[in-house]
């Protein structure tokens, strides 16, 4: 499963695995893929440093990368408090009423919200980069498109490739014009922030739009046969995420959430703005239904929505309120029906890839 890009990065298989869990990222790299640690949950630079220390010591010297979330345009002088002040009182009241309806207890006195997505804010992402550039990362990915020009220049000065996610060929061309090195063409099926074009359509469009720049196919990929299809469409690898959520190395905060993922079908996700303010695919719950109900106030734009619901999400997770408990996940969740190690998942991906190639060869009479 080698391509020009995987050879350039020194990995055995052109499988890139995004994950918020250091143990999963390291295991993906050890298995022959390219582990990418998501940085958005790290609000304190020392916490990111601690986990990058761990990843660096557990990859057996194999390459890994980091995924950040930052806008291409810089906004000066805006603090988290400034943003918090923009949240309407009616939206805060809606959150309070929804939690009360489901009997969600308050956090214990003195316990801060453990789910703060201040990592969506540029100044936090820049502090993450100040830490990350001290490590031998080989790839910097940005989930909100092209990072600012100075960040691209800084990454290139450290011999780090820069990737940006795109939901359309138009977005892909903008990334190429901005000077990034890899386009991640993320289809509608993907978990988290995603556009409206399916992977089978988007991948070849993006490949054609930015050639000869390498493209990674993303969105609903969880089998070796799908990897073979992505490479046949012109991609130089795949970007995976959801399939690692139910691995034994994953550190989901809730056993009940793991069980919900294992039981879910591909029809049990919804593309909703309930979590961050931007459309993001996640498990459908009564929480997403409440925010998507046209009789409600509706979600706020990013980053207001994320700040608004941060404490609520922490309370839902802490007390494992089943009706409201969810997580970003793609439509591939329908295949995630057993807990397996990263190594076992990798073995299944490579075997599926071999089956697909053998099938095509038989059709071609080889």
């Amino acid at each position: 499963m080698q391509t020009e890009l995987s050879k350039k990065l020194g990995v055995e298989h052109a499988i890139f695995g995004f994950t918020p869990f250091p143990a999963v990222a390291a295991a993906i790299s050890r298995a022959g893929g390219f582990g990418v640690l998501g940085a958005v949950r790290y609000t304190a630079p020392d916490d990111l440093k601690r986990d990058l220390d761990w990843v660096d010591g557990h990859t057996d010297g194999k390459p890994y990368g980091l995924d950040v979330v930052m806008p291409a345009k810089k906004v000066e002088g805006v603090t988290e408090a400034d943003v918090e002040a923009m949240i309407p009182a009616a939206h805060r009241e809606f959150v309070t009423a929804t939690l009360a309806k489901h009997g969600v207890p308050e956090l214990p006195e003195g316990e801060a919200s453990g789910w703060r997505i201040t990592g969506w804010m540029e100044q936090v992402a820049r502090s993450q980069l100040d830490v990350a550039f001290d490590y031998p990362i080989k790839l910097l990915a940005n989930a909100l498109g092209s990072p600012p020009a100075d960040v691209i220049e800084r990454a290139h000065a450290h011999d780090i490739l820069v990737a940006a996610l795109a939901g359309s060929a138009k977005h892909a061309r903008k990334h190429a014009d901005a000077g990034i090195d890899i386009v991640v063409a993320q289809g509608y099926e993907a978990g988290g922030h995603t556009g409206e074009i399916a992977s089978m359509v988007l991948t070849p469009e993006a490949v054609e739009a930015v050639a000869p720049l390498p493209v990674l196919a993303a969105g609903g990929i969880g089998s070796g046969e799908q990897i073979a299809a992505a490479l046949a469409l012109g991609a130089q690898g795949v970007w995976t995420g959801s399939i690692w959520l139910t691995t034994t190395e994953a550190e989901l905060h809730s056993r009940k959430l793991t069980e919900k993922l294992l039981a879910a079908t591909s029809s049990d996700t919804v593309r909703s703005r309930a979590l961050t303010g931007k459309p993001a695919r996640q498990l459908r719950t009564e929480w997403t239904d409440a925010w998507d109900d046209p009789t409600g106030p509706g979600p706020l734009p990013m980053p207001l929505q994320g700040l608004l619901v941060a404490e609520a999400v922490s309370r839902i997770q802490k007390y494992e309120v089943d009706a409201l408990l969810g997580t970003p996940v793609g439509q591939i969740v329908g295949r995630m029906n057993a807990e397996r190690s990263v190594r076992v998942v990798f073995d299944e991906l490579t075997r599926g890839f071999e089956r697909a190639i053998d099938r095509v060869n038989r059709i071609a009479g080889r």
Side-chain angles (χ1 to χ4, degrees):
M1 240 184 289
Q2 285 213 332
T3 65
E4 184 180 344
L5 179 60
S6 67
K7 292 175 183 177
K8 183 176 183 177
L9 286 167
V11 295
E12 183 180 359
H13 301 299
I15 300 174
F16 295 70
F18 164 81
T19 174
F21 307 121
V24 176
I28 291 170
S29 290
R30 289 199 308 273
F34 191 98
V36 181
L37 179 65
V40 71
R41 68 190 180 98
Y42 294 97
T43 57
D46 285 347
D47 291 341
L48 178 58
K49 183 179 187 304
R50 176 201 64 215
D51 282 358
L52 283 176
D53 280 338
W54 192 94
V55 170
D56 199 55
H58 288 80
T59 54
D60 295 341
K62 295 182 178 179
Y64 61 94
L66 191 74
D67 179 278
V68 297
V69 179
M70 61 191 311
K73 295 181 179 179
K74 186 173 182 179
V75 180
E76 299 281 1
V78 178
T79 67
E80 182 179 343
D82 294 332
V83 178
E84 287 266 15
M86 301 176 189
I87 297 173
H91 281 75
R92 295 191 185 278
E93 292 166 2
F94 180 77
V95 170
T96 299
T98 303
L99 295 178
K101 175 182 176 182
H102 293 275
V104 184
E106 297 277 353
L107 293 175
E109 187 175 352
E111 181 175 327
S113 167
W115 193 90
R116 295 292 285 174
I117 61 164
T118 50
W120 303 112
M121 301 182 71
E122 183 185 356
Q123 62 266 36
V124 177
R126 285 183 176 274
S127 71
Q128 293 166 350
L129 294 178
D130 290 339
V131 172
F133 286 140
D134 287 335
Y135 290 82
I137 63 173
K138 299 299 182 184
L139 175 70
L140 175 67
N142 188 36
L144 283 183
S146 305
D150 68 294
V151 171
I152 297 175
E153 292 173 7
R154 191 175 173 193
H156 287 166
H158 285 80
D159 293 323
I160 297 170
L161 297 181
V162 179
L165 273 66
S168 69
K170 178 182 177 181
H171 293 156
R173 281 191 292 268
K174 287 180 64 176
H175 299 339
D177 292 342
I180 61 97
D181 307 289
I182 303 166
V183 169
V184 181
Q186 181 164 281
Y188 173 80
E189 309 95 326
H193 295 129
T194 186
E196 299 179 341
I197 304 173
S199 299
M200 184 64 75
V201 174
L202 177 61
T203 301
E205 286 187 349
V207 168
E208 182 178 351
V210 302
L213 211 63
V215 170
L216 298 177
I221 295 174
S223 74
E225 288 84 354
Q226 289 173 303
I227 297 173
L231 299 189
L233 292 172
Q236 288 202 29
V238 294
W239 180 273
T240 57
S242 296
I243 58 169
W244 311 112
L245 288 174
T246 51
T247 56
T248 53
E249 292 91 344
E251 301 166 357
L252 280 179
H253 51 80
S254 165
R255 181 62 202 175
K256 184 175 287 187
L257 179 55
T258 298
E259 291 170 353
K260 289 186 77 169
L261 289 171
L262 294 173
T265 72
S266 297
S267 300
D268 291 328
T269 68
V270 63
R271 189 167 165 269
S272 170
R273 296 197 295 123
L275 190 61
T276 69
K278 281 184 175 291
R281 186 169 299 283
Q282 54 204 281
L283 280 181
R284 183 177 181 178
T285 65
E286 291 189 34
W287 179 254
T288 62
D289 286 349
W291 284 104
D292 295 339
D293 189 333
T295 64
L300 296 168
M302 179 187 272
L304 300 180
Q305 182 71 11
L307 292 171
L308 168 65
V309 305
E311 182 180 325
V313 172
S314 286
R315 288 165 60 184
I316 292 165
Q317 292 176 348
K318 180 179 180 67
Y319 299 108
E320 297 187 306
V321 183
D322 187 73
L324 306 179
L325 188 62
T327 186
V329 69
Q331 291 179 331
I332 197 63
V333 70
R335 292 182 63 95
M336 296 158 48
N337 49 23
E339 290 182 87
R340 298 158 296 171
S341 70
V342 168
R343 177 77 263 182
V344 169
V345 173
F346 241 87
D347 288 344
E348 292 178 355
L349 292 175
T350 54
R351 286 197 298 270
F353 181 83
E354 290 170 353
R355 287 194 300 269
I357 296 302
D358 287 345
R359 187 180 303 123
V360 171
N361 284 338
R362 287 196 301 272
I363 293 170
R366 296 177 182 172

